[in-house]
Amino acid sequence: MKRLTNDRIWSSIDALAHRYGLSVSGLAKRSGLDPTAFNKSKRATGDGRPRWPTTESIAKVLDATGATLDDFATLASSDPGAARRNVPIPLIGLTKAGAGGFFDDGGYPVGDGWEQVQFPRVDDENAYALEVTGESMESLYREGDILIVSPNAPTQNDDRVVIRTTDGKVMARLLVRRTTNTIELASLNPDHPNFVFPLDRVEWIARIIWASQ
């Protein structure tokens, strides 16, 4: 058997999540652990040293999934990148996303109302997909296009983003600028005007990292 390196152990956890149609956050929650326990940010210390998952957390994962220790060892000895080639991403229609129950306060997908879409090479375990509906984002995005959104990716001016306001509206826009008190967003449809919101009206903002187009 190949040496069980830190990367291979974490890749085995990724592979188990993929096998059971879960994000690593979903796997952690099913195992009774903190939802962020397996996030990329938890896999190294602040000074960059590798951090290993505990034997207790691995035991809880095996118990929650029904996988055996042999399964885990086999996955850990395989190609570390294999688990990331096709990842199930939660999917929901953009117009439906504004309804309650699909996001937590931090903008992470929650609940059981999501479908799934397969997508390769996503580095954010909390990434999700929104399906464009209607014509409000033409000519940039058309009905049926899929937007992959990363709630953990940093945002900056000129990024395409998804934003949720405190009154429950979820919309895709271009981030123009952000000040200490306001945020300005340009519509993706040139026929629609720019929006300027007080920051206290913004519940969360996340970057669009890919679109099917």
Side-chain angles (χ1 to χ4, degrees), residues 36 46 96 110 115 129 154 169 182 185 206:
T36 66
K96 189 178 179 181
V110 296
E115 299 179 29
K169 293 180 180 177
T182 63
L185 304 164

Side-chain angles (χ1 to χ4, degrees), residues 18-190:
H18 180 263
R19 175 184 290 181
Y20 294 98
L22 299 167
S23 66
V24 290
S25 296
L27 178 63
K29 286 188 285 189
R30 177 178 289 190
S31 304
L33 302 168
D34 185 292
T36 66
F38 300 146
N39 284 7
K40 289 286 190 297
S41 60
K42 299 297 182 70
R43 301 185 184 191
T45 63
D47 58 4
R49 290 179 296 171
R51 178 181 284 146
W52 295 75
T54 65
T55 53
E56 180 183 9
S57 65
I58 292 174
K60 288 184 175 181
V61 164
L62 297 181
D63 184 59
T65 61
T68 67
L69 187 58
D70 285 343
D71 290 335
F72 189 85
T74 299
L75 289 169
S77 64
S78 62
D79 175 7
R84 300 175 59 201
R85 289 177 185 148
N86 288 289
V87 179
I89 303 293
L91 168 70
I92 200 168
L94 182 57
T95 54
K96 189 178 179 181
F102 294 109
F103 295 96
D104 64 16
D105 292 341
Y108 297 98
V110 296
D112 299 324
W114 296 77
E115 299 179 29
Q116 287 190 342
V117 61
Q118 293 288 328
F119 188 78
R121 298 183 302 278
V122 176
D123 292 326
D124 184 352
E125 298 92 343
N126 300 116
Y128 56 90
L130 297 175
E131 183 175 3
V132 175
T133 51
E135 301 177 350
S136 64
M137 288 186 283
E138 293 184 353
S139 58
L140 185 59
Y141 299 136
R142 301 183 181 278
E143 184 162 7
D145 284 347
I146 301 296
L147 312 180
I148 303 297
V149 182
S150 171
N152 291 317
T155 58
Q156 59 186 7
N157 293 352
D158 297 324
D159 280 344
R160 297 170 188 176
V161 299
V162 172
I163 184 172
R164 180 184 172 100
T165 61
T166 53
D167 57 359
K169 293 180 180 177
V170 175
M171 61 191 83
R173 295 290 186 267
L174 179 72
L175 176 59
V176 177
R177 61 182 173 182
R178 184 165 24 195
T179 70
T180 54
N181 298 311
T182 63
I183 186 169
E184 182 178 353
L185 304 164
S187 174
L188 300 178
N189 185 327

